[in-house]
Amino acid sequence: MRPLGELEAEIMNRLWTWGRPATARDVLVDLGRTRPVAYSTVKTVADILYRKGMLRREKQGRAWLYEPTCTRQQYTASLMQDALGDNPDPVGTLLSFVDRMSSDEVEALRSALRAAKQRNQA
């Protein structure tokens, strides 16, 4: 999965945060609070995200309602898996990654590994 562009990420972050379907106009209004952007631009990027499989859409009147096809966590995990899968030294990559983590992040990783181990043993 490719990393998102700047506006793609802003749109996805809003939809993930809201946790509900939204129109391009809904996104435009929220984006407009921090930067100017045209409706046609938001609509075009939402359609691109739909074609990439990041969004699903459903017609509501004359507008499309967009919602993510995956969670933020699933998207991030996919990026991480891609980085590891293309790397000839996944252990070295993981060590470098862990070296850059905060102690809270390391503890979260330990917790995730314990949970994964328990699921695999069940």
Side-chain angles (χ1 to χ4, degrees):
M1 183 171 289
R2 283 189 23 230
L4 297 171
E6 182 183 342
L7 186 54
E8 290 175 327
E10 287 190 52
I11 291 170
M12 292 303 298
N13 283 330
R14 279 164 174 77
L15 293 171
W16 281 321
T17 299
W18 294 341
R20 62 169 172 78
T23 64
R25 176 113 11 234
D26 295 331
V27 174
L28 173 71
V29 168
D30 199 55
L31 281 171
R33 296 174 194 191
T34 57
R35 71 175 182 143
V37 62
Y39 172 78
S40 59
T41 302
V42 173
K43 180 76 173 95
T44 297
V45 174
D47 287 340
I48 290 168
L49 287 165
Y50 167 74
R51 287 194 305 274
K52 288 181 175 181
M54 292 291 300
L55 295 177
R56 66 179 140 259
R57 67 184 184 186
E58 181 179 316
K59 197 79 158 164
Q60 183 183 55
R62 294 179 50 210
W64 288 107
L65 276 177
Y66 295 94
E67 71 178 313
T69 58
C70 64
T71 66
R72 183 188 323 255
Q73 294 81 2
Q74 290 167 329
Y75 169 72
T76 302
S78 177
L79 291 176
M80 294 167 68
Q81 185 63 47
D82 287 349
L84 288 174
D86 292 342
N87 195 304
D89 182 16
V91 173
T93 301
L94 286 168
L95 284 172
S96 293
F97 180 68
V98 170
D99 284 345
R100 296 178 184 180
M101 295 172 76
S102 70
S103 58
D104 287 344
E105 291 168 333
V106 169
E107 187 50 45
L109 177 58
R110 283 187 181 117
S111 178
L113 290 170
R114 282 190 299 271
K117 184 177 181 179
Q118 289 173 349
R119 274 197 313 269
N120 289 337
Q121 291 174 347

